[in-house]
């Protein structure tokens, strides 16, 4: 598209084309957001990241219809004096940059805390000082554990939504003890949320905070040994995809009893676009963005992914497709887990009228079709290569 003709917001007002400084634009969410902005809106994007592989298809060739609306800046926001200038040139900053894979939280807690809190500080400061709007990506992990998880296993109260539903303006943030370094990420995200909120209250910063609930889809993380380190541990979608592609058993951490709600990235991006284009309705709010209808235990996710992958690849599943591993073995010392994550959708529904659409089966089918198409050949080649011996 890109002409911008007759684009109106939820209140019928014309949407003016804007320049968006997107930090972390080369990641999973950033790549989908850039794609959406280029194909469906007239907005310009200054895309900042240390990597650009996931948005390469949007940057090259220079004959693409949106070539003059997207500019990549290879910048590490930890130490780059160009950051303030790029924020000043923009109408809105979207900050996605973060270390956000659980395998890092307990093994690289310092990097995790610096990335999610310290490195985000100048972004908030420059937005506030220059009167620029900020959409900051936080996480559903700020809720930590549910109140219900502290009740006896057989307590009927565990079935009561008051004990597990996660609401932006009511639920407490419940983390484990300090030696459970898993919570370094959630705690850093919580503190930056509080700082942004305080900048809004004391200095009038126009902000929106997004709390994503397990967004998944194509281009999420990496497949170890193919487009990421062989020993790397990505998030669960990529871990399970990797095992399926290699015909290995899917590892269930601590029995795979934790529960998650998964949402298709394309549904979630619709919500972000509504926030971008409806500032009056989004400013000053914290939004859960998830799909409460897609809840499964991690064990059920493994079973469903095994079934779906067999369908899209035409290969029969392994006789015993999963294997149990302890969290200590899988993640190391200091790991802990969120037990259950159901987003309360009241606020996003009221402010933006948004609802997710895609079922878990459908989103896995389209994602695993992508994984198979993108990686199956490369994995076959990698497996057939003799291992070097010294
Ligand atoms: N995907 C999810 O389900 C999910 C859930 C909760 C929260 N989030 C949050 O959403 C944001 C984006 O997540 P994602 O899934 O796209 O992760 P991602 O790792 O794919 O993307 C993050 C991007 O930020 C970049 N980045 C990190 N540090 C940087 C720095 N110092 N300078 C420049 N670029 C830097 C990385 O290179 C990467 O491309 C993160 O803040 C994350 O905490 C995501
Ligand atoms: O191979 C695996 C990988 C993961 N898991 C389990 O699967 C569940 C989900 O793991 P993920 O790696 O997707 O990460 P989590 O859902 O715990 O956290 C994520 O949630 C919100 C975001 O802020 C981050 O992207 C990340 O912290 C966890 O219970 C984990 O222990 C397995 O059982 N096997």
């Amino acid at each position: 598209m890109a002409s911008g003709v007759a684009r109106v917001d939820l209140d019928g007002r014309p949407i003016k084309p804007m320049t968006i400084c997107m930090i972390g634009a080369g990641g999973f969410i950033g790549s989908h957001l850039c794609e959406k902005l280029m194909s469906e809106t007239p907005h310009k994007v200054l895309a900042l990241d240390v990597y650009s592989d996931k948005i390469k298809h949007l940057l090259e060739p220079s004959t693409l219809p949106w070539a003059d609306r997207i500019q990549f800046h290879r910048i590490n926001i930890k130490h780059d004096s160009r950051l303030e200038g790029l924020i000043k040139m923009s109408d809105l900053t979207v900050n996605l940059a973060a270390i956000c894979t659980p395998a890092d939280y307990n093994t690289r807690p310092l990097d995790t805390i610096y990335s999610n809190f310290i490195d985000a500080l100048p972004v908030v400061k420059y937005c506030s000082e220059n009167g620029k709007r900020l959409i900051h990506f936080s996480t559903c992990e700020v809720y930590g554990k549910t109140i219900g998880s502290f009740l006896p296993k057989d307590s009927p109260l565990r079935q009561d939504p008051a004990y597990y539903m996660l609401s932006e303006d009511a639920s407490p943030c419940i983390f484990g003890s300090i030696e459970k370094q898993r919570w370094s990420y959630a705690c850093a995200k919580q503190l930056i949320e509080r700082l942004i909120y305080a900048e809004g209250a004391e200095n009038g910063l126009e902000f929106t905070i997004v709390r994503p609930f397990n967004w998944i889809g194509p281009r999420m993380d990496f497949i170890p040994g193919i487009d990421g380190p062989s020993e790397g541990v990505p998030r669960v979608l990529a871990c399970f995809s990797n095992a399926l592609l290699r015909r290995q058993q899917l590892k269930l951490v601590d029995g795979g009893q934790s529960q998650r709600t998964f949402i298709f990235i394309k549904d979630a991006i619709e919500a972000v676009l509504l926030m971008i284009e409806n500032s009056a309705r989004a400013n000053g709010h914290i939004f859960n963005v998830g799909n409460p209808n897609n809840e499964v235990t991690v064990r059920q996710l493994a079973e469903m992914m095994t079934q779906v992958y067999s369908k899209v690849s035409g290969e029969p599943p392994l006789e015993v497709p999963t294997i149990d591993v302890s969290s200590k073995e899988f993640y190391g010392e200091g790991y802990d887990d969120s037990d259950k994550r159901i987003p309360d959708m009241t606020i996003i529904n009221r402010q933006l009228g948004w609802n997710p659409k895609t079922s878990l089966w459908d989103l896995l089918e389209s994602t695993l079709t992508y994984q198979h198409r993108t990686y199956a050949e490369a994995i076959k080649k990698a497996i057939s290569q003799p291992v070097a011996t010294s």
Side-chain angles (χ1 to χ4, degrees):
M1 107 118 236
S3 67
V5 176
R7 272 186 83 72
V8 289
D9 68 14
L10 291 171
D11 299 303
R13 289 184 294 246
I15 297 167
K16 287 196 202 116
M18 58 185 115
T19 299
I20 301 168
C21 174
M22 196 191 301
I23 308 171
F28 163 57
I29 296 176
S31 71
H32 286 275
L33 187 54
C34 285
E35 220 166 66
K36 183 88 172 171
L37 289 165
M38 290 304 110
S39 60
E40 291 181 28
T41 80
H43 308 310
K44 286 190 179 150
V45 172
L46 307 178
L48 281 57
D49 206 305
V50 282
Y51 302 113
S52 59
D53 301 5
K54 294 184 185 185
I55 52 170
K56 218 167 143 198
H57 62 294
L58 300 172
L59 303 172
E60 292 164 11
S62 58
T63 49
L64 286 167
W66 48 74
D68 60 337
R69 292 194 291 114
I70 184 161
Q71 234 179 55
F72 180 67
H73 298 261
R74 197 171 301 281
I75 281 181
N76 185 337
I77 60 162
K78 273 183 194 300
H79 41 67
D80 200 304
S81 56
R82 289 172 291 175
L83 180 62
E84 183 170 14
L86 291 164
I87 289 176
K88 272 188 181 168
M89 281 165 64
S90 308
D91 304 292
L92 160 72
T93 293
V94 176
N95 190 11
L96 294 149
I99 288 178
C100 53
T101 37
D104 292 320
Y105 308 162
N106 59 314
T107 54
R108 298 169 58 204
L110 284 176
D111 286 343
T112 301
I113 293 167
Y114 270 77
S115 169
N116 283 284
F117 181 66
I118 307 284
D119 299 347
L121 283 176
V123 177
V124 180
K125 180 170 161 256
Y126 296 147
C127 287
S128 190
E129 285 174 358
N130 293 290
K132 301 292 182 178
R133 190 178 165 220
L134 171 66
I135 298 183
H136 185 83
F137 273 70
S138 180
T139 175
C140 58
E141 281 206 26
V142 296
Y143 295 110
K145 302 176 189 229
T146 63
I147 307 173
S149 70
F150 295 90
L151 294 168
K153 286 259 179 297
D154 56 355
S155 166
L157 287 177
R158 280 188 172 234
Q159 308 310 316
D160 180 342
Y163 291 85
Y164 63 76
M165 182 83 83
L166 302 172
S167 307
E168 298 92 327
D169 52 357
S171 298
C173 301
I174 309 173
F175 304 153
S177 63
I178 300 300
E179 80 247 27
K180 296 284 184 203
Q181 299 206 67
R182 158 61 184 256
W183 303 108
S184 58
Y185 167 76
C187 192
K189 286 283 203 199
Q190 188 199 146
L191 189 54
I192 199 74
E193 279 201 24
R194 290 192 185 275
L195 184 110
I196 292 168
Y197 198 90
E199 277 290 348
E202 289 191 29
N203 296 325
L205 172 69
E206 291 186 2
F207 74 87
T208 301
I209 289 169
V210 187
R211 291 181 180 166
F213 280 64
N214 292 78
W215 300 8
I216 61 176
R219 294 197 293 271
M220 185 167 197
D221 297 339
F222 58 90
I223 296 298
I226 302 298
D227 55 5
S230 308
E231 301 307 315
V233 180
R235 286 169 284 189
V236 71
L237 174 80
C239 285
F240 285 177
S241 301
N242 184 38
L244 291 166
L245 284 154
R246 294 177 188 274
R247 293 192 67 69
Q248 294 171 350
Q249 288 174 305
L250 280 61
K251 293 183 177 165
L252 297 179
V253 173
D254 293 341
Q257 291 312 303
S258 298
Q259 291 165 289
R260 296 288 188 272
T261 49
F262 292 94
I263 178 174
F264 193 33
I265 182 70
K266 292 194 191 296
D267 288 355
I269 291 293
E270 296 273 351
V272 182
L273 185 57
L274 284 168
M275 292 173 207
I276 290 176
E277 295 192 324
N278 290 275
S279 55
R281 286 167 176 255
N283 282 348
H285 287 283
I286 300 176
F287 291 117
N288 286 344
V289 180
N291 187 338
N293 305 318
N294 281 349
E295 190 186 33
V296 277
T297 62
V298 174
R299 179 178 288 279
Q300 288 166 333
L301 175 74
E303 288 163 358
M304 200 186 274
M305 283 182 67
T306 302
Q307 262 183 295
V308 173
Y309 189 72
S310 175
K311 183 180 171 202
V312 303
S313 68
E315 294 165 9
L318 296 181
E319 216 160 282
V320 185
T322 59
I323 183 168
D324 284 0
V325 294
S326 72
S327 53
K328 194 168 170 199
E329 205 182 317
F330 192 79
Y331 288 111
E333 211 60 74
Y335 182 74
D336 200 1
D337 209 353
S338 302
D339 53 302
K340 184 176 173 77
R341 291 181 180 158
I342 306 261
D344 184 340
M345 305 304 288
T346 312
I347 296 182
I348 193 156
N349 234 288
R350 184 189 68 214
Q351 293 302 116
L352 301 171
W354 173 86
N355 276 305
K357 299 189 277 259
T358 315
S359 70
L360 186 57
W361 179 277
D362 288 352
L363 79 85
L364 289 177
E365 191 162 344
S366 95
T367 305
L368 290 180
T369 301
Y370 170 89
Q371 303 287 58
H372 181 66
R373 207 179 50 227
T374 310
Y375 295 109
E377 274 311 307
I379 296 247
K380 259 191 214 142
K381 253 191 221 155
I383 291 173
S384 66
Q385 251 148 43
V387 182
T389 48
S390 52

